[in-house]
């Protein structure tokens, strides 16, 4: 008789998740060394150590894989951001600055190419989703215009920091972004963001 309280995990589902993760990690690794247009499905499969049929069982194109990676990673990034800065109201800021600081080679590779521009736009949209969730947890729901303004400012500060070789400590950049965001929010939220 089957155990309905403790069902057997679906092994094929776990295999599918492993394959999808391996493909995403392979694509991300390849982006460190190759331009987007130079990467093909065969390269991704070789790096992930899966067959082409496995790739096509999950994705129609490498663009689909990229989009899936962004979508799937949102919940993982939220969890990572919370562990990086568990007391902060805006943990996405800490995650973003840390991630950009570690991904400078990839960022430089993406700059200047139409595909790279598209990838960075999707990355900004994902970051906006994460920040919107942070603000909602804090009790603030920004309108689309406010969120666009915030994300534009955050990325402008981050780009300036990167352009200067990350000379300022990450904690300084994060604190500065918290102050700038807090100035645009209702007073009770500003105090919480600034730790007051």
């Amino acid at each position: 008789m089957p155990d309905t309280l403790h069902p057997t995990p679906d092994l094929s589902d776990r295999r599918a998740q492993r394959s999808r993760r391996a493909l995403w990690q392979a694509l991300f690794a390849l982006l460190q060394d190759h331009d987007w247009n130079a990467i093909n499905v065969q390269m991704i499969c070789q790096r992930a150590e899966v067959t082409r049929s496995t790739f096509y069982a999950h994705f129609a194109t490498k663009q689909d894989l990229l989009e899936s990676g962004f979508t799937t990673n949102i919940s993982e990034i939220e969890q990572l951001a919370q562990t990086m800065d568990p007391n902060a109201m805006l943990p996405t800021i800490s995650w973003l600055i840390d991630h950009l600081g570690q991904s400078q080679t990839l960022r430089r590779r993406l700059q200047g190419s139409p595909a790279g521009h598209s990838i960075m736009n999707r990355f900004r949209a994902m970051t906006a989703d994460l920040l919107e969730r942070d603000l909602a947890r804090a009790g603030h729901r920004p309108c689309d215009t406010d969120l666009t303004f915030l994300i534009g400012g955050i990325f402008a500060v981050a780009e300036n920091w990167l352009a200067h070789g990350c000379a300022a400590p990450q904690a300084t950049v994060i604190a500065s972004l918290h102050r700038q965001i807090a100035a645009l929010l209702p007073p009770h939220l500003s105090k919480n963001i600034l730790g007051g």
Side-chain angles (χ1 to χ4, degrees):
M1 179 178 204
D3 184 350
T4 54
L5 294 176
H6 302 92
T8 304
D10 184 348
L11 295 179
S12 63
D13 185 50
R14 285 196 307 201
R15 274 194 295 271
Q17 288 177 3
R18 266 199 311 272
S19 295
R20 291 169 75 91
R21 178 176 295 281
L23 288 164
W24 165 250
Q25 289 171 342
L27 176 59
F28 189 79
L30 287 166
L31 281 167
Q32 310 290 325
D33 302 319
H34 303 278
D35 291 329
W36 171 257
N37 292 332
I39 298 170
N40 59 42
V41 170
Q42 184 60 37
M43 291 169 68
I44 297 168
C45 291
Q46 285 176 341
R47 187 69 176 246
E49 298 181 352
V50 302
T51 63
R52 288 173 66 93
S53 61
T54 298
F55 179 94
Y56 288 115
H58 299 287
F59 306 105
T61 65
K62 66 180 182 179
Q63 184 66 40
D64 289 342
L65 168 59
L66 180 71
E67 183 60 32
S68 172
F70 278 124
T71 303
T72 303
N73 281 355
I74 284 181
S75 62
E76 292 178 6
I77 290 166
E78 281 187 308
Q79 291 170 0
L80 177 61
Q82 294 285 358
T83 62
M84 287 180 62
D85 201 353
N87 299 316
M89 287 185 65
L90 303 176
T92 295
I93 300 298
S94 299
W95 166 80
L96 177 66
I97 296 304
D98 183 66
H99 178 74
L100 290 174
Q102 291 183 33
S103 305
Q104 291 183 67
T105 303
L106 174 59
R107 189 182 120 277
R108 281 193 294 272
R109 183 170 296 288
L110 294 176
Q111 285 179 332
S113 75
H117 184 70
S118 174
I119 292 168
M120 286 307 296
N121 280 343
R122 183 61 186 91
F123 179 74
R124 284 171 69 109
M126 181 187 73
T127 305
D129 289 344
L130 291 165
L131 182 62
E132 186 174 27
R133 292 176 192 204
D134 284 355
L135 292 169
R137 278 191 297 270
H140 181 66
R141 298 207 177 268
C143 68
D144 287 344
T145 304
D146 290 348
L147 188 62
T148 300
F149 182 79
L150 284 172
I151 288 295
I154 289 165
F155 272 88
V157 169
E159 287 293 330
N160 184 59
W161 174 64
L162 292 166
H164 287 88
C166 304
Q170 286 187 11
T172 302
V173 178
I174 292 165
S176 175
L177 285 170
H178 281 180
R179 281 193 307 276
Q180 292 168 41
I181 293 168
L184 301 172
L185 298 178
H188 71 283
L189 292 178
S190 298
K191 288 181 187 176
N192 291 338
I193 288 171
L194 295 174

